[in-house]
Amino acid sequence: MENEAQSLLSKSRANPGYISQDVLDLKSLRLCLNWVCLDQSSLWRAGLSWSIFFLLAVGVPIVSHFVLLCSNCDVKHQRPYDALVQLSLSAFAAISFIHLSYWSRKYGARRFLFLDKLADVSDKVRHGYSQELQKSMKLLCIFVLPCFAAESAYRIWWYATGAGQIPYLGNLYISYTISCTLQLCSWLYRTSIFILASLLYQLTCHLQILRLEDFAQFFQKETEVSSILAEHLKIRRTLRIISHRFRRFILLSLLLVTASQFIALLLTIRTSTTVNFYEAGELALCSISLVIGLFICLRSATKISHRAQSITSLAAKWHVCATINSFDDADGETPTAQIVPSQIIPPGVDWESDEEEDGDDLDNTKLVPIFANTISFQKRQALG
C-alpha cells in the first residue's frame, strides 16, 4: 500500500492538478460516518440516521433514567448523577449530530474537508494532509475506546452485582443483557459523534496550518508580490470559511461543557453528598469525554491562530531585513555582496530563550532576504 501511494505521489508531481483518491483516502472517514449513521445521501438513509439518533440519543437515555433509576437499591447501585450524565451526553450528541448532518448535506465529505481545493497546493501539503486524515480516525479510537472500556466494565459490574434489585421485564438475564447492550451503544454513539465533530475541526485546521507553513517558504525565494498576496488571500478566505462554519459548534460546546462541569461541581461538593467510585464513576467518565472534545477544538483554534500570527511576524521581519539591505547597498560604504546573517543580527544577542524549547517553526530569526532588490520598498510595505 505504501509503494502504491508513493507511485501515486509521483504522478501528482508530474501533474500538479492530479489528486489521487488513494493518497487522500476517504474510506476510513466514510466508514466512520456510516458507523455513526451520518450518511444522509438518500432519503431512506436520512430517515435511518435520524431514527437511530432519536433511539440512541433520546429514547434509550430517557428509559434508562426513569425505568432503571433503582432508587430502592443499595448505596453502591444508586445513580444520583445519572440525570446530569444523560442530559450532558445527549445535549452534546444533539449539537454534534445537527451540525454534522447539515455539513454533510450541504457540502459533502470532499468539499467539507477542502479536498476539492488541493489541486492548487504543493505535494508536501497534500501528503501531510493525507497522513493527518488517516491519523484523525486513529485518534477517534484512541480517545473513545479507553473510556468505552471503562464504561463497559462499570455497566457490566452494575448489572452483575445488582441482580434482583435492578428492575427487569420478563426473564432477568435477557432483560439485563438487552438493556446493558442498549445503554453501552447509546454511550458509544453519543460520545463518538461529539469527538468526531471535534476531530473534523482539527483536521480542517491542520490543512490550513500546512498551507501556512508552505506559504512561509515564499519569503525565502524570489517571488512577485502579486503571487504572495494572491496566496495570502486564498488562505485568509479559507480561514474565514472555517471560522463561520464551526463558530456555533465551538461556542455551544464551550458553553455546555462549562455549564455541565459547573453543575457537576455543585452537586459533588454538597455537605450531604458522599462521593465515591460507585456513584461518581460514570460522571467522571462523562466529564473526561466532554473535556477531551472541547480541548481538541480549543487546541486546534490556538495552533492555527499562532501560525497566522507567525506569518505576520515573518512578513514584517522579511520587510525589515530587505529594507536594511537595500539602504546598505545604497549607502556606498557597505559592500554590494550578499549580507550574511551576522550583519543583520547583531553578534552576542540571544533572541531565543533556552527555557522555551517549543518555539515557533516559522519564526526564523536569521532570515536573510536573498532577493532584497527585486521587490521595491513600496510593494513590500503594502504587502506587510
Side-chain angles (χ1 to χ4, degrees):
M1 183 64 186
E2 294 180 356
N3 296 331
E4 184 181 359
Q6 292 295 333
S7 64
L8 290 168
L9 279 174
S10 62
K11 292 180 181 179
S12 64
R13 293 189 186 97
N15 184 7
Y18 177 81
I19 302 178
S20 170
Q21 180 68 25
D22 292 330
V23 175
L24 297 173
D25 196 358
L26 287 175
K27 290 182 180 179
S28 58
L29 177 61
R30 287 185 176 132
L31 180 62
C32 184
L33 293 177
N34 293 333
W35 178 56
V36 294
C37 299
L38 282 172
D39 186 5
Q40 301 183 5
S41 56
S42 60
L43 184 61
W44 74 271
R45 287 186 176 182
L48 177 64
S49 178
W50 282 95
S51 299
I52 294 181
F53 167 75
F54 281 111
L55 173 65
L56 296 180
V58 180
V60 173
I62 291 177
V63 174
S64 171
H65 176 70
F66 290 102
V67 177
L68 302 177
L69 187 58
C70 198
S71 57
N72 298 325
C73 297
D74 55 31
V75 177
K76 292 183 179 180
H77 292 82
Q78 292 182 1
R79 298 184 297 170
Y81 309 107
D82 183 69
L84 178 61
V85 171
Q86 303 300 338
L87 185 60
S88 299
L89 290 177
S90 296
F92 281 97
I95 63 173
S96 302
F97 179 81
I98 292 173
H99 283 88
L100 289 174
S101 300
Y102 173 75
W103 296 332
S104 178
R105 290 194 310 269
K106 185 174 181 180
Y107 306 107
R110 295 187 63 84
R111 185 183 172 192
F112 175 73
L113 296 175
F114 298 97
L115 297 180
D116 56 334
K117 303 294 184 182
L118 293 183
D120 300 330
V121 301
S122 64
D123 294 337
K124 179 181 178 181
V125 175
R126 277 196 289 265
H127 186 69
Y129 193 48
S130 174
Q131 292 180 337
E132 189 66 21
L133 183 63
Q134 299 173 3
K135 179 183 176 182
S136 297
M137 298 302 102
K138 297 179 181 179
L139 288 177
L140 179 64
C141 298
I142 292 174
F143 288 139
V144 173
L145 291 183
C147 293
F148 178 70
E151 175 69 17
S152 300
Y154 171 79
R155 190 63 56 186
I156 292 173
W157 167 86
W158 192 72
Y159 278 99
T161 59
Q165 303 181 56
I166 304 172
Y168 63 93
L169 182 63
N171 186 274
L172 182 144
Y173 298 103
I174 297 178
S175 178
Y176 284 176
T177 301
I178 294 175
S179 59
C180 180
T181 303
L182 287 175
Q183 284 182 313
L184 290 178
C185 291
S186 175
W187 189 95
L188 181 62
Y189 174 83
R190 291 179 289 173
T191 304
S192 299
I193 199 171
F194 176 58
I195 300 295
L196 176 62
S198 302
L199 287 175
L200 289 179
Y201 175 68
Q202 174 183 301
L203 187 62
T204 55
C205 287
H206 189 79
L207 172 60
Q208 306 315 312
I209 291 175
L210 291 173
R211 292 184 63 185
L212 288 172
E213 292 175 351
D214 191 62
F215 176 68
Q217 303 303 317
F218 277 79
F219 299 100
Q220 300 290 341
K221 56 186 178 181
E222 184 175 13
T223 310
E224 291 293 334
V225 173
S226 58
S227 61
I228 299 178
L229 185 59
E231 182 66 20
H232 172 263
L233 291 177
K234 289 180 182 179
I235 297 176
R236 182 183 177 90
R237 181 177 180 273
T238 306
L239 291 176
R240 186 171 63 251
I241 292 174
I242 295 175
S243 175
H244 284 238
R245 186 177 296 176
F246 284 93
R247 59 183 178 182
R248 293 180 182 176
F249 172 74
I250 296 177
L251 181 60
L252 289 175
S253 299
L254 180 61
L255 293 177
L256 289 178
V257 168
T258 304
S260 64
Q261 297 308 298
F262 183 72
I263 295 174
L265 178 64
L266 293 180
L267 292 177
T268 53
I269 62 175
R270 292 180 301 176
T271 56
S272 59
T273 303
T274 302
V275 180
N276 52 49
F277 171 78
Y278 305 102
E279 295 181 353
E282 195 173 12
L283 178 62
L285 287 176
C286 173
S287 300
I288 291 173
S289 304
L290 300 183
V291 171
I292 285 176
L294 181 61
F295 173 77
I296 293 173
C297 294
L298 296 181
R299 182 176 181 270
S300 302
T302 303
K303 288 184 65 176
I304 198 170
S305 299
H306 182 65
R307 285 295 191 274
Q309 292 176 356
S310 299
I311 289 293
T312 303
S313 175
L314 186 62
K317 188 180 300 182
W318 168 76
H319 174 50
V320 169
C321 293
T323 303
I324 294 175
N325 192 10
S326 61
F327 273 103
D328 286 342
D329 291 342
D331 198 12
E333 298 180 359
T334 56
T336 58
Q338 182 179 344
I339 296 179
V340 296
S342 60
Q343 290 176 280
I344 294 180
I345 306 299
V349 178
D350 186 13
W351 295 89
E352 300 289 341
S353 174
D354 295 336
E355 299 179 357
E356 298 181 1
E357 297 179 358
D358 189 13
D360 188 1
D361 297 335
L362 305 182
D363 188 9
N364 184 8
T365 56
K366 296 183 179 181
L367 174 68
V368 180
I370 302 176
F371 304 96
N373 298 322
T374 58
I375 301 177
S376 66
F377 173 82
Q378 290 81 4
K379 289 183 179 181
R380 293 196 310 269
Q381 188 179 34
L383 179 63

